[in-house]
Amino acid sequence: MRTIRIIALAVVSLFTMAIASSCGQRQAKNEAPEEAGTEATVETVYTAIDRYLTGTIGEGYDAAEYSIPFHSFAAVDESDPEDIQVIGTFWLLNYNLSGDTLNTASGGAYPGKMHVRKSGESYEVTSFEPVADGSGFTSSAKAIFGDKYDEFMSAYSDDKAREAARLKAVAEFVKANGLGAKFIQDFGWPAVEIPTE
């Protein structure tokens, strides 16, 4: 599994595509998501992926106050409701709040394919195929992303777009959870203002 510690990724941020799909579905770490079908949350494949990121992948990190899961460059094949396939780069970032600043504690990028099953109005991740680390990255990414590989790599290398998307995701999380945070700060880097719109 491709895990990248945020301390080593001070300039890493998140991709722009598919952020809106998960708006309002992020939650504080270990906080149960709202029930499907409520007015506040509509269940989607991204709701299930967010739960998987915080629940399954999040278990590999030391405890932090807040986890913000999201994804980018997501392409969805819903032809089989028993095996909905979502390719993309899926992220989990963990933060601790100090005053008005969310300090990055840890996190990682997980490019690959999520297998999701629909059951009634709910969705659940049944498995995850990660892109390999190291020398196996390119071959495994090509196998997973297929004809979307070039699009994936273009988004994967776009630092500016990733940073804009990260700030947007954090801003949505802060607003949804009523936090007083105004800045985020990566270890060793100046604090960055969280956008309000």
Side-chain angles (χ1 to χ4, degrees):
M1 191 171 295
R2 185 171 178 79
T3 303
I4 306 169
R5 291 284 170 190
I6 292 299
I7 291 175
L9 293 175
V11 296
V12 168
S13 48
L14 305 171
F15 291 95
T16 56
M17 297 181 68
I19 293 297
S21 297
S22 63
C23 177
Q25 297 164 16
R26 301 169 185 91
Q27 64 262 358
K29 193 164 192 171
N30 300 323
E31 178 181 312
E34 296 183 55
E35 292 298 315
T38 65
E39 291 182 7
T41 302
V42 175
E43 185 84 359
T44 69
V45 293
Y46 301 111
T47 313
I49 290 169
D50 285 352
R51 279 195 304 265
Y52 180 84
L53 290 167
T54 56
T56 301
I57 290 178
E59 291 298 314
Y61 291 102
D62 291 337
E65 289 180 284
Y66 303 103
S67 291
I68 304 178
F70 54 99
H71 45 276
S72 60
F73 182 70
V76 182
D77 177 356
E78 295 183 286
S79 58
D80 180 359
E82 291 296 313
D83 185 24
I84 299 167
Q85 298 181 20
V86 186
I87 55 173
T89 300
F90 309 99
W91 289 82
L92 180 66
L93 297 180
N94 301 307
Y95 295 94
N96 291 314
L97 183 62
S98 177
D100 62 0
T101 303
L102 284 168
N103 294 300
T104 307
S106 60
Y110 301 87
K113 181 187 292 183
M114 294 279 183
H115 293 267
V116 182
R117 178 173 56 222
K118 184 174 184 181
S119 177
E121 296 302 314
S122 297
Y123 295 84
E124 67 174 330
V125 173
T126 57
S127 64
F128 175 54
E129 293 179 56
V131 171
D133 285 331
S135 62
F137 180 88
T138 300
S139 60
S140 65
K142 285 182 176 180
I144 289 170
F145 289 92
D147 62 0
K148 302 284 187 187
Y149 174 77
D150 289 340
E151 290 177 67
F152 158 69
M153 286 304 299
S154 178
Y156 193 77
S157 61
D158 190 339
D159 293 341
K160 186 175 180 179
R162 288 194 311 253
E163 180 62 17
R166 175 169 79 142
L167 289 173
K168 180 178 179 182
V170 170
E172 291 172 354
F173 179 86
V174 165
K175 182 177 180 180
N177 290 279
L179 302 182
K182 296 180 180 177
F183 303 93
I184 58 171
Q185 185 167 22
D186 295 329
F187 182 79
W189 288 79
V192 176
E193 188 172 3
I194 299 169
T196 56
E197 296 182 4

